[in-house]
Each structure stands twice: as structure tokens, then as C-alpha cells.
């Protein structure tokens, strides 16, 4: 079985500041890891994914995440927050070349202050 | 646009009623997943079908059922609805093959409101 834990249900940053959203995973087999973003009243949009290639993964909108096996972490970062980044972010894990269902974290709501 | 379509977009119904949510996967995708997003449970996996057969079950209630048809579209049936069933229901699809990475593509969701 696999699981993800997102530390911090709400994160608030100032515009231009570093964004750091934390995700730790648990998996008995090599995981595939994802970050999704959900804007208000919208569906899920894939930000980036780790599928056992490069450990530093770059995604859309300037986001990136680093897979650290020793720390079982897959934290999401962005050097400079923009007002349009305000949304809810979900970390997710799956296994078996992604043929299994995704297990999502509880989500982190990012607020960006002007 | 992910290529996964879901209908209807919104559904408002009363307690005790039955509804059917429909999902059409991307062309060529054999695997369909259903997820529920609610305020108290978060995003959770309900059920997965692969080429017409049930492949995995998650936290799906007995009042809920699903099927995947020969044309690969899927329906999620929710019966004896309760207020707590109000949620956003997502469908996702993937190719479903074993020898390469299978990305799941999400539909826009169906928002169910039970009054």
C-alpha cells in the first residue's frame, strides 16, 4: 500500500517569495509521484510527475519538485510566487507503471498575498 | 482539454434518489478510474475498470456501482443518495498497458449536490 502526507493544509506566501509545499510518501515499491493543481471550481491539472527518470522534475508554470528517496519526499517549489498561483495543490502516488489508482494527499491551499 | 469527457457537469437531486454519471475515456485508453472529492474525505479512489472488467476497488460504498461498456465508456451509479454523497466526481483514463508508464488523464468532473 502507498500513501502521501502533505504537511500544512494552508500555506501563505507573499508575491515574489519562494513557494515550498511539502509532500512525503510511503511506498513498499518504487513509486510514481505527482503534483496536481486545482483552481476554484475547476478540475485537476497535472503540474509535474516523477516516473523514475531524473530526480529533479520541472513542471508547468515554473514549478519543480525533487524526488529524495532517502527522505521519502517530493516537495514542490517555485522560486517566485505569483498571484495566479493561488490554488489547492495535491501530491499523489501510484505504482506498477501507473496502472494502479492514484492515492492523493489531503491537499495544501496556497494563498499568495500582494 | 484532457480528452476525457464527463456528463453531466452539474447534477442536483434529492435524498433517496438514484443518479448515473457518465465518462468517456480518451481514444485508445482501456482503463477508467473513478474518484470522489468531498470536503470531509478529500480526494479518494472509488473503482477502476480495465477493458470492461473491474480491476480494483477503493472506498466505494455498496450503494454505488459502476460498469464499463464495450465501447469503453463508463458509468457510475449512485443510489439511495444521502446528503454526504454531495461531492465532485472525477473520471480518469489511461492506456492500461504494463510495459511503459501509464499517465492518468482527468475529466472535468461532475458536481453532485444532494438536497
Amino acid at each position: 500500500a502507498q500513501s502521501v502526507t502533505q504537511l500544512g493544509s494552508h500555506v501563505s506566501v507573499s508575491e515574489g517569495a519562494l513557494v515550498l509545499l511539502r509532500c512525503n510518501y510511503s511506498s513498499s515499491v518504487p513509486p510514481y509521484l505527482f503534483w496536481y493543481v486545482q483552481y476554484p471550481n475547476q478540475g485537476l491539472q497535472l503540474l509535474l510527475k516523477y516516473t523514475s527518470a531524473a530526480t529533479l522534475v520541472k513542471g508547468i508554470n515554473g514549478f519543480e519538485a525533487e524526488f529524495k528517496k532517502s527522505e521519502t519526499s517530493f516537495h514542490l517549489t517555485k522560486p517566485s510566487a505569483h498571484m495566479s498561483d493561488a490554488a489547492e495543490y495535491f501530491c499523489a502516488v501510484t505504482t506498477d507503471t501507473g496502472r494502479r489508482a492514484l492515492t492523493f494527499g489531503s491537499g495544501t491551499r496556497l494563498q499568495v498575498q500582494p | 482539454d484532457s480528452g476525457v469527457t464527463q456528463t453531466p457537469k452539474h447534477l442536483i437531486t434529492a435524498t433517496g434518489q438514484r443518479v448515473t454519471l457518465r465518462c468517456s475515456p480518451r481514444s485508445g485508453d482501456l482503463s477508467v478510474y473513478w474518484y470522489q472529492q468531498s470536503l470531509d474525505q478529500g480526494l479518494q479512489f472509488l473503482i477502476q475498470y480495465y477493458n470492461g472488467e473491474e480491476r480494483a476497488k477503493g472506498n466505494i460504498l455498496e450503494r454505488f456501482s459502476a460498469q464499463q461498456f464495450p465501447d469503453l465508456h463508463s458509468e457510475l451509479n449512485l443510489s439511495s443518495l444521502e446528503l454526504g454523497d454531495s461531492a465532485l466526481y472525477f473520471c480518469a483514463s489511461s492506456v492500461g498497458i504494463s510495459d511503459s508508464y501509464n499517465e492518468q488523464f482527468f475529466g472535468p468532473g461532475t458536481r453532485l449536490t444532494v438536497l
Side-chain angles (χ1 to χ4, degrees), chain A:
Chain A
Q2 64 264 9
S3 65
V4 290
T5 302
Q6 291 184 241
L7 298 175
S9 59
H10 289 83
V11 169
S12 182
V13 300
S14 299
E15 193 173 17
L18 171 73
V19 175
L20 170 61
L21 304 184
R22 300 178 185 273
C23 172
N24 287 88
Y25 71 91
S26 172
S27 177
S28 56
V29 297
Y32 293 82
L33 294 158
F34 309 83
W35 277 98
Y36 285 87
V37 62
Q38 186 177 33
Y39 297 100
N41 298 312
Q42 293 190 27
L44 296 169
Q45 182 180 6
L46 180 65
L47 271 180
L48 49 80
K49 61 192 178 206
Y50 167 76
T51 59
S52 75
T55 57
L56 181 61
V57 182
K58 293 188 185 298
I60 61 172
N61 302 339
F63 284 93
E64 64 180 39
E66 186 172 7
F67 173 70
K68 291 187 177 180
K69 185 177 178 180
S70 60
E71 299 177 9
T72 62
S73 69
F74 190 59
H75 302 330
L76 182 71
T77 60
K78 182 175 180 177
S80 177
H82 191 272
M83 296 296 290
S84 60
D85 295 327
E88 186 143 24
Y89 292 79
F90 294 92
C91 182
V93 64
T94 187
T95 58
D96 191 18
T97 67
R99 291 189 303 159
R100 299 197 182 279
L102 291 164
T103 299
F104 287 90
S106 53
T108 297
R109 185 166 298 278
L110 176 66
Q111 191 175 21
V112 182
Q113 306 283 1

Side-chain angles (χ1 to χ4, degrees), chain B residues 34-104:
Chain B
W34 286 96
Y35 295 88
Q36 179 197 58
Q37 184 179 29
S38 62
L39 285 175
D40 52 347
Q41 299 289 334
L43 256 169
Q44 58 176 358
F45 165 63
L46 295 179
I47 196 163
Q48 177 193 2
Y49 278 82
Y50 175 76
N51 203 19
E53 300 289 327
E54 182 184 302
R55 184 158 193 255
K57 264 186 174 179
N59 298 321
I60 188 166
L61 300 171
E62 284 191 9
R63 300 183 286 109
F64 295 1
S65 64
Q67 54 184 327
Q68 186 179 26
F69 294 87
D71 67 352
L72 300 177
H73 91 271
S74 178
E75 293 181 356
L76 179 66
N77 300 295
L78 315 177
S79 61
S80 302
L81 285 168
E82 302 175 358
L83 295 177
D85 297 328
S86 295
L88 192 51
Y89 292 85
F90 288 109
C91 167
S93 74
S94 71
V95 175
I97 58 177
S98 63
D99 57 354
S100 65
Y101 167 63
N102 289 252
E103 180 164 342
Q104 290 183 33

